[in-house]
Amino acid sequence: MHILDAKQTAAALPYSALVPALVKVAQQLREGKINAPERMVVEIDKASVLLCMPAVAADIGMTKLITVHANNAQHHLPAIQGEVVVFDAASGRRLALLHGPTVTARRTAAVSLLGIEALLPFKPKSALLIGTGVQAIVHADGLVDYFGVGEFWISARDLPKTEAFCDALLLRHPHIKIKPLAADKLTSELPHTDLVIALTTSRTAVIPANIAADTLAIGVGAFKPDMVEFPAELLHSRTVVVDCLAGAKHEAGDLMQAQIDWSKVRELPDVLAHGFVQQAVLPVYKTVGQAAWDLAAARVAIASLAG
């Protein structure tokens, strides 16, 4: 069994391979060829949970085990730790042990990239990222690597931290243009960009309601019923697309609190199968994740190890 650390796991998951792998998995989900039940959440204590996310296909199966300890900073440990165990479906033979948080980070960014490819009628050149955490980093990397996006605005509540994030991102991608933007000026000084991507754990809306009609807004960070990144006004004025409808009904706090009509929500696998009729006003895209996306990443990693 191959055991990969965070750096090795990242190297085994290039976005150029992850996005096509997600397309294949989305098709197999629609055809009932992947068994990916909703994730199991087991409470450890009031500030900690164990998450178990299995998925099985004809070729491989995998289980992602993640622990989230909200108070781990006091122990000088990351809040999120975990692994992805990959096995051969025919025999159960263990194939790989991948770094769980890295798999989650990169496949989450890849799900955003796939949504952009499916919903944006042109290749993006600019993006506003709201947040400065791990997901902001991998989304910036993915946008540069996969689409060649060359212009970024970064917004967060802590302006010095935002400026430091911009400096660090510029070291990773010296050819891009990047500007910090204070969160309290986001609405009044909102730049016109192809993409607005929220990557926070906010409990109040962070995406401006006044984004342009030709801007695609993506909400990634809000993954609990009490978390919100989209303003209700924006959700009710645009078509809503989600990566996983079942998960969104339990986890997408933005959509739940806005009391949207679930019968009108489109799911990404169906959009990929049937296409999306472009309108004058672009949709909004909400992702919550699911184990099948991790299985797609596991396939890419196994292929990378074999090649």
Side-chain angles (χ1 to χ4, degrees):
M1 180 174 69
H2 297 276
I3 300 177
L4 280 63
D5 62 17
K7 185 176 181 180
Q8 293 166 326
T9 299
L13 298 175
Y15 292 110
S16 59
L18 269 175
V19 175
L22 288 169
V23 174
K24 181 177 180 179
V25 161
Q27 179 181 352
Q28 291 179 327
L29 274 173
R30 294 189 72 256
E31 296 170 350
K33 294 180 178 179
I34 293 179
N35 184 6
E38 291 186 35
R39 70 183 183 184
M40 179 185 295
V41 181
V42 181
E43 182 176 306
I44 300 173
D45 56 43
K46 294 302 180 182
S48 312
V49 294
L50 166 67
L51 308 177
C52 178
M53 290 152 279
V56 178
D59 53 341
I60 65 168
M62 71 91 224
T63 298
K64 184 166 72 173
L65 296 172
I66 295 289
T67 52
V68 183
H69 286 73
N71 298 326
N72 258 7
Q74 63 185 331
H75 303 299
H76 306 289
L77 291 171
I80 300 175
Q81 301 171 83
E83 303 79 33
V84 173
V85 181
V86 189
F87 60 90
D88 175 70
S91 66
R93 178 172 60 92
R94 270 44 179 178
L95 302 174
L97 183 69
L98 310 175
H99 187 260
T102 301
V103 171
T104 300
R106 293 184 73 85
R107 68 84 160 141
T108 300
V111 171
S112 292
L113 298 176
L114 178 56
I116 293 166
E117 201 165 59
L119 301 172
L120 193 67
F122 51 87
K123 185 177 179 180
K125 297 181 180 179
S126 60
L128 164 63
L129 304 184
I130 304 173
T132 56
V134 171
Q135 279 299 333
I137 296 171
V138 293
H139 272 74
D141 288 344
L143 290 169
V144 172
D145 294 347
Y146 194 75
F147 288 118
V149 172
E151 189 170 18
F152 289 87
W153 282 261
I154 309 295
S155 179
R157 291 189 179 95
D158 187 329
L159 186 57
K161 186 177 180 179
T162 305
E163 292 171 340
F165 178 90
C166 291
D167 291 341
L169 195 59
L170 197 57
L171 289 176
R172 295 166 71 92
H173 305 287
H175 61 286
I176 67 173
K177 296 179 181 178
I178 187 165
K179 300 176 183 178
L181 180 60
D184 59 358
K185 297 183 178 180
L186 192 53
T187 300
S188 61
E189 299 181 14
L190 179 67
H192 184 278
T193 58
D194 299 327
L195 303 167
V196 173
I197 307 178
L199 309 137
T200 75
T201 55
S202 179
R203 284 169 170 76
T204 57
V206 295
I207 297 175
N210 61 328
I211 62 170
D214 60 350
T215 294
L216 177 65
I218 304 174
V220 178
F223 61 93
K224 293 181 180 180
D226 63 340
M227 293 180 178
V228 174
E229 292 182 313
F230 283 109
E233 176 186 346
L234 187 62
L235 292 173
H236 285 292
S237 66
R238 302 197 180 198
T239 299
V240 177
V241 179
V242 298
D243 67 324
C244 175
L245 184 57
K249 289 181 177 180
H250 298 293
E251 301 175 20
D254 328 69
L255 280 56
M256 297 165 68
Q257 293 189 37
Q259 297 182 329
I260 64 163
D261 183 349
W262 291 105
S263 67
K264 296 181 179 179
V265 174
R266 298 285 305 277
E267 191 171 35
L268 182 62
D270 286 336
V271 169
L272 295 174
H274 301 299
F276 187 83
V277 178
Q278 294 298 335
Q279 303 167 348
V281 179
L282 291 180
V284 297
Y285 179 44
K286 171 64 185 173
T287 71
V288 294
Q290 63 158 301
W293 306 147
D294 296 310
L295 187 140
R299 280 178 171 164
V300 172
I302 293 301
S304 175
L305 292 170

